[in-house]
Amino acid sequence: MLHSVNLRTTAQRAVQRTLGTVVGLLLALGVLATDPEPVALACVIVLLEFLLEYFVPRNYGLGVVFLTPLALLMSDLAAPSPAGELVTDRVLGSVLGIVVGLVCALLVVHDRAALRVERALAACTQASGHAERSLAEGSGPQLPEVQVQLVLAVVELRDADDAAAGELWPAGIDPAELAAAEQRAYRLLERLHHQR
């Protein structure tokens, strides 16, 4: 949950973790209810591991659906226990983890988010100015380098603004100024593209 860029994405992951854990617990209970033999349980674990590795990079919530039964079934394979105990332990652990994650996200204020936006805005403005001068001078060999610098600056501006937008305290920069700087950079990128 804490592998997030701001409070908003941490909260989204908390919801995904909760829903994924509930569905995963139901899946684990279904498997445990069949009282599988160790070989069958090992095959289910391998399948769950494959599904976990496939889905986690694509969708955290779906990944948790497979992570939860995987953890429970591996515990059961190592030391068989009643399903109720396994589920209770997993529920308590998940609830504790979610609460601690949310509290940490609330307490750890990303006070550098506003500073990052200010720096990104200044860098984007500077790169745009450099691009305008290069276009006016028609410096052909330098144009690709100018284009790369402008691309990096506008991507950082968007990323910094997105990260700051999910914090409790806004960055304090006029959104119209950010939008204008971004639009200016994209117009210049289009012109640079046509100059090549």
Side-chain angles (χ1 to χ4, degrees):
M1 275 180 33
L2 291 176
H3 291 287
S4 304
V5 294
N6 54 40
L7 181 61
R8 180 184 63 217
T9 54
T10 300
Q12 289 170 346
R13 279 187 159 226
V15 170
Q16 291 177 343
R17 179 78 184 214
T18 302
L19 296 175
T21 299
V22 169
V23 173
L25 286 171
L26 294 174
L27 184 60
L29 284 173
V31 172
L32 290 171
T34 64
D35 195 29
E37 294 295 320
V39 173
L41 193 55
C43 291
V44 171
I45 288 170
V46 169
L47 175 64
L48 289 170
E49 178 66 33
F50 172 79
L51 293 171
L52 171 67
E53 295 298 329
Y54 179 79
F55 282 108
V56 162
R58 290 160 181 77
N59 184 299
Y60 178 75
L62 282 176
V64 174
V65 167
F66 302 110
L67 173 67
T68 301
L70 178 65
L72 291 176
L73 296 178
M74 286 176 60
S75 296
D76 189 62
L77 186 62
S81 302
E85 279 182 33
L86 288 172
V87 170
T88 301
D89 287 347
R90 185 65 182 182
V91 167
L92 292 175
S94 292
V95 168
L96 181 63
I98 290 167
V99 169
V100 167
L102 286 173
V103 167
C104 287
L106 285 168
L107 293 177
V108 177
V109 177
H110 297 285
D111 57 346
R112 299 186 191 272
L115 181 60
R116 181 179 173 205
V117 173
E118 290 171 8
R119 287 181 179 163
L121 179 59
C124 190
T125 302
Q126 182 180 8
S128 293
H130 189 188
E132 286 173 340
R133 286 189 300 280
S134 294
L135 283 166
E137 295 168 1
S139 14
Q142 291 181 346
L143 290 180
E145 183 180 319
V146 169
Q147 187 176 15
V148 168
Q149 289 173 350
L150 187 55
V151 165
L152 293 174
V154 76
V155 166
E156 171 58 16
L157 178 62
R158 172 64 15 235
D159 191 44
D161 186 42
D162 286 346
E167 293 299 328
L168 286 178
W169 298 273
I173 295 176
D174 182 14
E177 185 180 357
L178 290 170
E182 194 173 3
Q183 289 170 359
R184 175 184 176 203
Y186 283 122
R187 283 193 301 270
L188 286 166
L189 284 170
E190 185 176 358
R191 287 178 57 198
L192 285 165
H193 177 70
H194 291 300
Q195 286 288 330
R196 295 193 314 160

